[in-house]
Tab-separated table of all heavy atoms in Angstrom:
chain	number	residue	atom	x	y	z
A	1	LEU	N	108.876	-27.509	204.904
A	1	LEU	CA	108.916	-26.338	205.761
A	1	LEU	C	108.491	-26.707	207.181
A	1	LEU	O	107.629	-27.563	207.387
A	1	LEU	CB	108.004	-25.247	205.220
A	1	LEU	CG	108.365	-24.657	203.852
A	1	LEU	CD1	107.323	-23.620	203.437
A	1	LEU	CD2	109.752	-24.038	203.870
A	2	SER	N	109.086	-26.054	208.151
A	2	SER	CA	108.702	-26.256	209.545
A	2	SER	C	107.376	-25.550	209.807
A	2	SER	O	106.933	-24.695	209.027
A	2	SER	CB	109.775	-25.708	210.477
A	2	SER	OG	109.856	-24.294	210.356
A	3	ASP	N	106.725	-25.896	210.926
A	3	ASP	CA	105.473	-25.225	211.284
A	3	ASP	C	105.694	-23.726	211.453
A	3	ASP	O	104.828	-22.916	211.089
A	3	ASP	CB	104.917	-25.830	212.578
A	3	ASP	CG	104.272	-27.190	212.349
A	3	ASP	OD1	104.110	-27.578	211.180
A	3	ASP	OD2	103.930	-27.854	213.346
A	4	ALA	N	106.849	-23.350	212.005
A	4	ALA	CA	107.141	-21.929	212.182
A	4	ALA	C	107.205	-21.215	210.833
A	4	ALA	O	106.701	-20.084	210.684
A	4	ALA	CB	108.449	-21.750	212.941
A	5	GLN	N	107.808	-21.864	209.843
A	5	GLN	CA	107.894	-21.264	208.507
A	5	GLN	C	106.514	-21.187	207.855
A	5	GLN	O	106.190	-20.196	207.186
A	5	GLN	CB	108.853	-22.072	207.634
A	5	GLN	CG	110.309	-21.972	208.064
A	5	GLN	CD	111.199	-22.934	207.318
A	5	GLN	OE1	110.900	-24.128	207.212
A	5	GLN	NE2	112.300	-22.430	206.788
A	6	LEU	N	105.702	-22.227	208.041
A	6	LEU	CA	104.358	-22.236	207.469
A	6	LEU	C	103.497	-21.136	208.096
A	6	LEU	O	102.746	-20.445	207.389
A	6	LEU	CB	103.711	-23.610	207.676
A	6	LEU	CG	104.382	-24.779	206.941
A	6	LEU	CD1	103.738	-26.094	207.341
A	6	LEU	CD2	104.305	-24.592	205.429
A	7	VAL	N	103.613	-20.972	209.412
A	7	VAL	CA	102.867	-19.906	210.091
A	7	VAL	C	103.319	-18.541	209.581
A	7	VAL	O	102.498	-17.646	209.327
A	7	VAL	CB	103.054	-20.013	211.618
A	7	VAL	CG1	102.584	-18.722	212.303
A	7	VAL	CG2	102.290	-21.201	212.167
A	8	SER	N	104.623	-18.372	209.427
A	8	SER	CA	105.147	-17.107	208.929
A	8	SER	C	104.612	-16.800	207.534
A	8	SER	O	104.220	-15.650	207.238
A	8	SER	CB	106.677	-17.146	208.909
A	8	SER	OG	107.210	-15.960	208.368
A	9	ASN	N	104.578	-17.808	206.662
A	9	ASN	CA	104.069	-17.602	205.304
A	9	ASN	C	102.590	-17.228	205.316
A	9	ASN	O	102.156	-16.332	204.565
A	9	ASN	CB	104.288	-18.851	204.464
A	9	ASN	CG	105.751	-19.098	204.143
A	9	ASN	OD1	106.585	-18.204	204.315
A	9	ASN	ND2	106.074	-20.296	203.687
A	10	ASP	N	101.809	-17.922	206.157
A	10	ASP	CA	100.369	-17.623	206.224
A	10	ASP	C	100.114	-16.248	206.834
A	10	ASP	O	99.169	-15.548	206.443
A	10	ASP	CB	99.642	-18.704	207.029
A	10	ASP	CG	99.402	-19.960	206.203
A	10	ASP	OD1	99.637	-19.920	204.977
A	10	ASP	OD2	98.982	-20.978	206.780
A	11	THR	N	100.956	-15.862	207.783
A	11	THR	CA	100.813	-14.537	208.384
A	11	THR	C	101.074	-13.444	207.350
A	11	THR	O	100.340	-12.446	207.268
A	11	THR	CB	101.777	-14.373	209.567
A	11	THR	OG1	101.492	-15.367	210.555
A	11	THR	CG2	101.651	-12.997	210.191
A	12	THR	N	102.094	-13.638	206.558
A	12	THR	CA	102.444	-12.646	205.539
A	12	THR	C	101.346	-12.486	204.496
A	12	THR	O	101.021	-11.364	204.068
A	12	THR	CB	103.759	-13.037	204.843
A	12	THR	OG1	104.802	-13.098	205.820
A	12	THR	CG2	104.134	-12.046	203.759
A	13	SER	N	100.752	-13.603	204.098
A	13	SER	CA	99.758	-13.549	203.013
A	13	SER	C	98.337	-13.277	203.502
A	13	SER	O	97.425	-13.063	202.686
A	13	SER	CB	99.766	-14.879	202.243
A	13	SER	OG	99.408	-15.966	203.093
A	14	LEU	N	98.131	-13.260	204.815
A	14	LEU	CA	96.780	-13.089	205.350
A	14	LEU	C	96.203	-11.720	204.987
A	14	LEU	O	96.862	-10.682	205.145
A	14	LEU	CB	96.802	-13.255	206.874
A	14	LEU	CG	95.466	-13.087	207.598
A	14	LEU	CD1	94.443	-14.102	207.108
A	14	LEU	CD2	95.659	-13.189	209.102
A	15	ALA	N	94.951	-11.735	204.527
A	15	ALA	CA	94.276	-10.489	204.163
A	15	ALA	C	92.786	-10.609	204.448
A	15	ALA	O	92.227	-11.714	204.480
A	15	ALA	CB	94.504	-10.164	202.694
A	16	ILE	N	92.143	-9.485	204.675
A	16	ILE	CA	90.699	-9.432	204.886
A	16	ILE	C	90.026	-9.104	203.559
A	16	ILE	O	90.502	-8.257	202.789
A	16	ILE	CB	90.342	-8.358	205.936
A	16	ILE	CG1	90.906	-8.756	207.299
A	16	ILE	CG2	88.835	-8.154	206.023
A	16	ILE	CD1	90.712	-7.687	208.366
A	17	SER	N	88.907	-9.757	203.297
A	17	SER	CA	88.148	-9.476	202.070
A	17	SER	C	86.996	-8.526	202.400
A	17	SER	O	86.241	-8.735	203.365
A	17	SER	CB	87.591	-10.783	201.478
A	17	SER	OG	88.649	-11.620	201.083
A	18	PHE	N	86.870	-7.498	201.598
A	18	PHE	CA	85.847	-6.472	201.823
A	18	PHE	C	84.761	-6.561	200.760
A	18	PHE	O	84.989	-7.032	199.631
A	18	PHE	CB	86.478	-5.082	201.789
A	18	PHE	CG	87.508	-4.857	202.858
A	18	PHE	CD1	88.859	-5.048	202.591
A	18	PHE	CD2	87.119	-4.467	204.134
A	18	PHE	CE1	89.808	-4.843	203.574
A	18	PHE	CE2	88.064	-4.256	205.127
A	18	PHE	CZ	89.415	-4.454	204.852
A	19	ALA	N	83.598	-6.095	201.133
A	19	ALA	CA	82.487	-6.028	200.176
A	19	ALA	C	82.805	-4.996	199.095
A	19	ALA	O	83.681	-4.142	199.257
A	19	ALA	CB	81.195	-5.670	200.907
A	20	ASN	N	82.081	-5.108	198.016
A	20	ASN	CA	82.311	-4.207	196.887
A	20	ASN	C	82.188	-2.747	197.309
A	20	ASN	O	81.193	-2.319	197.900
A	20	ASN	CB	81.295	-4.511	195.779
A	20	ASN	CG	81.603	-3.748	194.505
A	20	ASN	OD1	82.774	-3.480	194.209
A	20	ASN	ND2	80.565	-3.396	193.754
A	21	GLY	N	83.241	-1.967	197.054
A	21	GLY	CA	83.248	-0.554	197.383
A	21	GLY	C	83.854	-0.247	198.732
A	21	GLY	O	84.132	0.919	199.040
A	22	ASP	N	84.058	-1.278	199.583
A	22	ASP	CA	84.642	-1.060	200.906
A	22	ASP	C	86.154	-1.237	200.882
A	22	ASP	O	86.730	-1.811	199.945
A	22	ASP	CB	84.038	-2.030	201.931
A	22	ASP	CG	82.654	-1.586	202.396
A	22	ASP	OD1	82.129	-0.610	201.828
A	22	ASP	OD2	82.114	-2.226	203.308
A	23	SER	N	86.787	-0.743	201.933
A	23	SER	CA	88.234	-0.906	202.099
A	23	SER	C	88.554	-0.798	203.585
A	23	SER	O	87.640	-0.612	204.413
A	23	SER	CB	88.988	0.176	201.316
A	23	SER	OG	88.710	1.458	201.866
A	24	GLU	N	89.828	-0.868	203.939
A	24	GLU	CA	90.212	-0.776	205.346
A	24	GLU	C	89.809	0.557	205.961
A	24	GLU	O	89.537	0.643	207.167
A	24	GLU	CB	91.728	-0.973	205.499
A	24	GLU	CG	92.200	-2.402	205.311
A	24	GLU	CD	93.661	-2.584	205.687
A	24	GLU	OE1	94.275	-1.607	206.166
A	24	GLU	OE2	94.187	-3.700	205.504
A	25	THR	N	89.772	1.584	205.169
A	25	THR	CA	89.442	2.922	205.696
A	25	THR	C	87.979	3.289	205.471
A	25	THR	O	87.561	4.413	205.796
A	25	THR	CB	90.336	3.981	205.024
A	25	THR	OG1	90.164	3.917	203.604
A	25	THR	CG2	91.799	3.750	205.376
A	26	ASN	N	87.204	2.371	204.926
A	26	ASN	CA	85.783	2.672	204.672
A	26	ASN	C	84.989	1.367	204.702
A	26	ASN	O	84.694	0.767	203.677
A	26	ASN	CB	85.613	3.361	203.317
A	26	ASN	CG	84.168	3.734	203.035
A	26	ASN	OD1	83.439	4.148	203.938
A	26	ASN	ND2	83.743	3.596	201.783
A	27	VAL	N	84.682	0.917	205.914
A	27	VAL	CA	83.936	-0.331	206.081
A	27	VAL	C	82.477	0.004	206.343
A	27	VAL	O	82.131	0.665	207.346
A	27	VAL	CB	84.505	-1.157	207.263
A	27	VAL	CG1	83.676	-2.419	207.456
A	27	VAL	CG2	85.966	-1.485	207.021
A	28	THR	N	81.627	-0.464	205.467
A	28	THR	CA	80.187	-0.207	205.615
A	28	THR	C	79.379	-1.507	205.651
A	28	THR	O	78.197	-1.493	206.019
A	28	THR	CB	79.672	0.652	204.448
A	28	THR	OG1	79.838	-0.066	203.222
A	28	THR	CG2	80.403	1.984	204.381
A	29	GLN	N	80.022	-2.622	205.244
A	29	GLN	CA	79.310	-3.904	205.185
A	29	GLN	C	80.151	-4.979	205.890
A	29	GLN	O	81.289	-4.744	206.287
A	29	GLN	CB	79.066	-4.300	203.724
A	29	GLN	CG	78.325	-3.246	202.920
A	29	GLN	CD	78.256	-3.611	201.449
A	29	GLN	OE1	77.589	-4.575	201.071
A	29	GLN	NE2	78.937	-2.826	200.616
A	30	ASN	N	79.560	-6.135	206.040
A	30	ASN	CA	80.262	-7.242	206.686
A	30	ASN	C	81.568	-7.568	205.945
A	30	ASN	O	81.661	-7.398	204.714
A	30	ASN	CB	79.389	-8.490	206.722
A	30	ASN	CG	78.170	-8.304	207.609
A	30	ASN	OD1	78.158	-7.436	208.492
A	30	ASN	ND2	77.143	-9.105	207.388
A	31	ILE	N	82.542	-8.021	206.684
A	31	ILE	CA	83.831	-8.381	206.099
A	31	ILE	C	84.048	-9.889	206.216
A	31	ILE	O	83.433	-10.560	207.056
A	31	ILE	CB	84.997	-7.633	206.793
A	31	ILE	CG1	84.989	-7.930	208.290
A	31	ILE	CG2	84.885	-6.139	206.535
A	31	ILE	CD1	86.121	-7.276	209.054
A	32	SER	N	84.910	-10.405	205.357
A	32	SER	CA	85.211	-11.843	205.354
A	32	SER	C	86.553	-12.078	206.037
A	32	SER	O	87.587	-11.575	205.592
A	32	SER	CB	85.245	-12.374	203.916
A	32	SER	OG	85.567	-13.749	203.902
A	33	LEU	N	86.515	-12.848	207.124
A	33	LEU	CA	87.723	-13.143	207.894
A	33	LEU	C	88.110	-14.609	207.697
A	33	LEU	O	87.376	-15.503	208.142
A	33	LEU	CB	87.482	-12.862	209.386
A	33	LEU	CG	87.022	-11.443	209.742
A	33	LEU	CD1	86.748	-11.335	211.231
A	33	LEU	CD2	88.072	-10.421	209.300
A	34	PRO	N	89.226	-14.887	207.036
A	34	PRO	CA	89.649	-16.278	206.808
A	34	PRO	C	89.878	-17.005	208.138
A	34	PRO	O	90.372	-16.423	209.113
A	34	PRO	CB	90.966	-16.124	206.034
A	34	PRO	CG	90.928	-14.735	205.473
A	34	PRO	CD	90.168	-13.912	206.456
A	35	THR	N	89.517	-18.273	208.177
A	35	THR	CA	89.727	-19.089	209.383
A	35	THR	C	90.808	-20.153	209.196
A	35	THR	O	91.100	-20.909	210.122
A	35	THR	CB	88.418	-19.762	209.799
A	35	THR	OG1	87.909	-20.539	208.697
A	35	THR	CG2	87.378	-18.721	210.197
A	36	SER	N	91.371	-20.205	208.010
A	36	SER	CA	92.478	-21.138	207.763
A	36	SER	C	93.432	-20.533	206.743
A	36	SER	O	93.014	-19.773	205.861
A	36	SER	CB	91.966	-22.495	207.265
A	36	SER	OG	91.289	-22.348	206.031
A	37	GLY	N	94.710	-20.884	206.878
A	37	GLY	CA	95.722	-20.380	205.955
A	37	GLY	C	95.984	-21.357	204.825
A	37	GLY	O	95.621	-22.541	204.909
A	38	THR	N	96.628	-20.889	203.791
A	38	THR	CA	96.914	-21.755	202.632
A	38	THR	C	97.907	-22.856	202.967
A	38	THR	O	98.005	-23.846	202.242
A	38	THR	CB	97.465	-20.908	201.467
A	38	THR	OG1	98.628	-20.192	201.924
A	38	THR	CG2	96.436	-19.911	200.982
A	39	ASN	N	98.649	-22.711	204.068
A	39	ASN	CA	99.625	-23.721	204.462
A	39	ASN	C	99.149	-24.584	205.626
A	39	ASN	O	99.937	-25.233	206.307
A	39	ASN	CB	100.954	-23.053	204.840
A	39	ASN	CG	101.642	-22.449	203.633
A	39	ASN	OD1	102.146	-23.152	202.770
A	39	ASN	ND2	101.648	-21.126	203.570
A	40	GLY	N	97.818	-24.590	205.847
A	40	GLY	CA	97.265	-25.490	206.855
A	40	GLY	C	97.156	-24.920	208.256
A	40	GLY	O	96.819	-25.652	209.193
A	41	SER	N	97.405	-23.636	208.435
A	41	SER	CA	97.274	-23.044	209.762
A	41	SER	C	95.805	-22.732	210.057
A	41	SER	O	94.982	-22.618	209.148
A	41	SER	CB	98.108	-21.769	209.857
A	41	SER	OG	97.610	-20.785	208.953
């Protein structure tokens, strides 16, 4: 895959991890933000 394809795949699969009981519409605790993608981005 080209770098453009790898970036596209990582962009599609990117998600934020929330603490137990939290969600995008109810954030009460720290969130986990990934700093690398599964395809090396």
Side-chain angles (χ1 to χ4, degrees):
L1 296 178
S2 66
D3 284 351
Q5 291 171 311
L6 295 174
V7 166
S8 177
N9 290 345
D10 281 351
T11 300
T12 300
S13 62
L14 179 60
I16 295 175
S17 296
F18 298 95
N20 188 31
D22 282 7
S23 65
E24 286 189 4
T25 57
N26 182 38
V27 178
T28 63
Q29 304 173 68
N30 294 338
I31 57 178
S32 179
L33 303 177
T35 56
S36 62
T38 56
N39 291 289
S41 64

